[in-house]
Amino acid sequence: MALLMAASLTTMANATISPALPGLERLFANDPNAAMLVRLLVPAPSIAVAILAPFAGIVADRYGRRRMLLTGVGLFVLAGCAGLLLPDLPAIFVSRLVLGGAVALIMTAQTALIGDYFRGADRNALTGLQISARNFGGLVFISLAGWFAVISPRLPFAVYGVAALFLPLMWKVIVDPQRASSAPGASPQDNSPIPSSWGFALASLVLLQAVTNMIFFVMPTQLSFFFERAGYDSPVITGSALGVLMLSGGCFALLYGRVQQVIGHVGIFALGYGAMAIGFLLLAHASTPPAWFLAASAIGAGYALVSPGFVTLALGIAPIRRRGMAGGILTASVFIGQFCSALLSTPLIAAYGYEELFRIVSSIVAVMSIAAVLKACAIGLQVWKGGTPTMEWRPAAKQVSAPRPNSGE
């Protein structure tokens, strides 16, 4: 539960203030750079995460995860709530960078702890629950922020104070596991990945995850402005649409473990990217809120299906003593993609419009889905001919889980 609470802060960090963006732009209209600065407030934490997360991973491997996680949550509360009082957009932007530093500590420690505490099917299940926690947390936090934004565009910053309620449980139950090279019941995959291959495989996952998040983050950074241009300028509409996005993702993430066992990782990627492509295509051609909500539901479901695979595969191939570093690099790739999303999508919107942007994004994700289908066919053909796949994309054999460390042992 403590790890899932930490996971829920990820979506909260960036997208919580999305419904307030038009109001913040009006509030600071006297700032000549208001249009760009306001749009960068959502992905701003990504800059700090991208820079700090790999270093946080190295620190986590050397000094442990517990202190890093608790420090990150405390800093998260202070930096997140700072927007309630800060006087101008540049100051708020700086506070968002500090918030990103907190997120780097939280996500790196949390990802490494998942690898330390769980193995095999348990780890697959928990990575799905992690994405579900992010989405259900986003549903609550973003919907609440939408209502708060009606009262004041500053009020959504107060939502970050919720993280303070998580600290007591984390303080009580999160412990650093013993840093042993092996553990009873550990699998060879956990303890001795192939040194010559795991670095390249991790780099591939990192790149794919960055692109995936760059595409997905078009939703929280641009959706409110798309609705406003269409004549629906209420923050409640944006909050509701993003709430549907999170609810759909949360529900489908709960199914990740079962679906992955049936169709494997490549099948999950094909299905998830296909759903995202359909959602963006519908968003490009729809003109009513119900259709927009349906599109958001498809995008959320697809993203929730593909996201756990990055963590599961990375933790499976990284050596035990490098899990913190792997978690840090994965964390950095998520937020690099998020930050690049606003930088790339805003000029495209200025040149071609929102509908054309959604068509372009839909085409890119459709190609990714087709590539996954072709990969699945290649693996199936190789297995049918009696060969062994070059990379273990299918579920591993059932493993015996090692005892999980806790404060009572």
Side-chain angles (χ1 to χ4, degrees):
M1 290 300 298
L3 290 176
L4 294 178
M5 285 178 176
S8 71
L9 301 180
T10 306
T11 303
M12 182 182 180
N14 290 65
T16 293
I17 64 168
S18 292
L21 295 183
L24 289 171
E25 186 173 358
R26 291 190 293 268
L27 181 65
F28 296 103
N30 59 336
D31 189 324
N33 299 313
M36 179 57 74
L37 275 177
V38 165
R39 283 164 174 79
L40 290 178
L41 289 180
V42 173
S46 309
I47 304 173
V49 175
I51 296 172
L52 296 176
F55 298 102
I58 296 172
V59 173
D61 285 332
R62 179 165 296 185
Y63 299 107
R65 333 310 195 182
R66 172 184 161 84
R67 291 179 183 176
M68 179 177 291
L69 181 62
L70 296 177
T71 300
V73 175
L75 186 60
F76 183 95
V77 174
L78 295 176
C81 293
L84 285 167
L85 303 174
L86 294 174
D88 51 44
L89 275 177
I92 294 176
F93 182 80
V94 171
S95 75
R96 302 289 290 174
L97 296 178
V98 177
L99 180 69
V103 173
L105 300 179
I106 294 169
M107 286 191 65
T108 300
Q110 187 251 359
T111 301
L113 284 167
I114 289 176
D116 292 338
Y117 288 174
F118 301 93
R119 292 184 180 84
D122 287 342
R123 184 185 293 167
N124 289 343
L126 194 69
T127 53
L129 289 174
Q130 174 183 244
I131 303 301
S132 184
R134 292 180 187 177
N135 282 273
F136 286 132
L139 170 65
V140 175
F141 301 139
I142 296 175
S143 299
L144 185 62
W147 291 101
F148 280 3
V150 175
I151 302 172
S152 167
R154 284 184 178 271
L155 200 54
F157 290 101
V159 178
Y160 292 99
V162 173
L165 302 177
F166 300 165
L167 273 172
L169 179 62
M170 293 177 180
W171 182 276
K172 181 179 180 180
V173 303
I174 295 295
V175 296
D176 284 314
Q178 294 180 352
R179 308 303 298 158
S181 60
S182 61
S187 68
Q189 181 183 357
D190 282 331
N191 287 304
S192 55
I194 302 173
S196 61
S197 64
W198 79 272
F200 177 77
L202 179 64
S204 301
L205 290 171
V206 165
L207 178 61
L208 183 58
Q209 181 171 245
V211 173
T212 302
N213 280 274
M214 181 176 65
I215 290 170
F216 175 75
F217 228 63
V218 167
M219 297 296 284
T221 56
Q222 302 295 350
L223 204 59
S224 59
F225 300 101
F226 171 63
F227 288 162
E228 188 175 41
R229 193 213 61 175
Y232 296 87
D233 57 354
S234 171
V236 175
I237 292 291
T238 302
S240 299
L242 293 178
V244 169
L245 183 84
M246 299 301 172
L247 178 61
S248 173
C251 292
F252 275 86
L254 291 175
L255 302 175
Y256 170 78
R258 296 180 181 178
V259 176
Q260 190 272 337
Q261 288 181 352
V262 175
I263 63 177
H265 288 293
V266 175
I268 282 280
F269 284 130
L271 181 62
Y273 287 135
M276 291 179 69
I278 293 172
F280 277 110
L281 186 63
L282 180 58
L283 205 58
H285 294 281
S287 58
T288 62
W292 293 333
F293 290 174
L294 181 60
S297 176
I299 294 169
Y303 179 75
L305 286 174
V306 300
S307 293
F310 299 118
V311 177
T312 299
L313 290 170
L315 291 177
I317 62 178
I320 288 178
R321 294 180 180 178
R322 295 293 182 267
R323 279 183 185 148
M325 185 190 70
I329 295 174
L330 277 176
T331 298
S333 74
V334 170
F335 288 90
I336 288 173
Q338 290 180 0
F339 184 75
C340 291
S341 180
L343 294 180
L344 294 177
S345 62
T346 300
L348 285 174
I349 291 169
Y352 304 107
Y354 289 97
E355 288 79 6
E356 189 61 29
L357 170 70
F358 296 147
R359 292 189 189 97
I360 292 171
V361 170
S362 176
S363 299
I364 294 172
V365 185
V367 170
M368 295 164 70
S369 177
I370 293 171
V373 170
L374 294 177
K375 176 68 174 179
C377 293
I379 291 175
L381 181 62
Q382 189 174 1
V383 172
W384 180 71
K385 289 181 176 180
T388 301
T390 57
M391 185 172 182
E392 188 175 296
W393 292 98
R394 296 290 301 175
K398 186 175 180 180
Q399 300 167 356
V400 179
S401 297
R404 301 172 189 167
N406 59 60
S407 56
E409 290 183 345

